[in-house]
Amino acid sequence: MTTTATRRGLLAGAALAAVARPALAQNWPTRPVTMIVPWAAGGGTDATGRIVATLLEREIGRPVNVVNRTGGGGLVGHTEIANARADGYTIGVITTELSLYRTTGAGQIDWKNYTPIALYNTDPQGVHVRADGPRDLATLIAQIRERPGANKASGANLGGAAHLGLVGMLNALGLPPTAAPWVPTDGAAPSLQQLAAGAIQLVTTTMPEAKTMVDAGQVRTIAIMRPTRDPAYPNVPTVKEAVGVDWSLGAWRGIAGPRNLPEAITTRLRTAMGKVVADPEFIRLMGARSFGIEYVDGPAFGAWLETADKRFGDAARAAGLAR
């Protein structure tokens, strides 16, 4: 039987807890923070995540420990970030694959399962041809229209960002995926080798991945799938400039926490990430590995993720990969 005194004690305890939660958030962090990376050590996400973690430590005054949680095409790590306690002591790197899990049926999480902190990296897909190939994207698309199926494409596996970048662009132009059949490979390097050898006619892959063969004069980049020109490649036109359709897509990485992260902690992390991305050391380390830098903060990052979901979803559906 609950007495009046007991009820008063419970109400007082609840009131104290309600006061304590904001206070704890205001004092965050008082101990190390874990940053989950959903991919294996040594890969691009791991490399960029460790750069961010090192610089984030300086800003928040506590260690940021990177933990790799691999498996399920990134689903294991992404799920662990989403299911973490919303106290700011577990955050993580979310990546491109999050834009595809629901659409392809691989998982039941999407950007709405997180508190978006900051986008820090994008590597848009470029459209690459042989050095003696079509002079521009408009010419290439005209050839594809005239001879559907004759111009074969590659970039990596079926269903990856490179494949969806091409399919989405074709779809935006009113062309089916079969207009430029996809030849699956084990990655950008073998795809570019096939392009240079004349076995295929175009490759969609990120600019850094194509850089070596472009510099060697074997491959030319005729467009980039980005809303605006990339300052690192100022002479490469966007798809919209080249053929008039507003299509952009590429690999991306950002920092997020679980949903319902306290506002005080979210604000602190957003402020810290703003300083990290502006840090000359971050710019130097990312540039040394040819990673693109794009910064989008907090709620704007949420809107960016919503748009990415639509773009990747539309491309997956056009490719017949939606479930």
Side-chain angles (χ1 to χ4, degrees), residues 54-70:
T54 299
L55 298 174
L56 191 58
E57 286 186 356
R58 300 180 191 174
E59 298 301 330
I60 66 173
R62 297 287 176 180
V64 177
N65 301 319
V66 173
V67 176
N68 299 90
R69 291 281 190 262
T70 61

Side-chain angles (χ1 to χ4, degrees), residues 134 136-152 166-181 201-202 239 242-246:
D136 53 38
L137 184 59
T139 302
L140 174 64
I141 295 301
Q143 291 180 1
I144 290 172
R145 287 190 189 279
E146 289 166 10
R147 300 180 60 206
N151 292 272
K152 294 181 173 56
L166 173 68
V167 171
M169 182 179 72
L170 293 175
N171 184 55
L173 288 161
L175 291 164
T178 53
Q201 286 67 51
L202 68 142
V239 169
V243 290
V245 296
D246 188 10

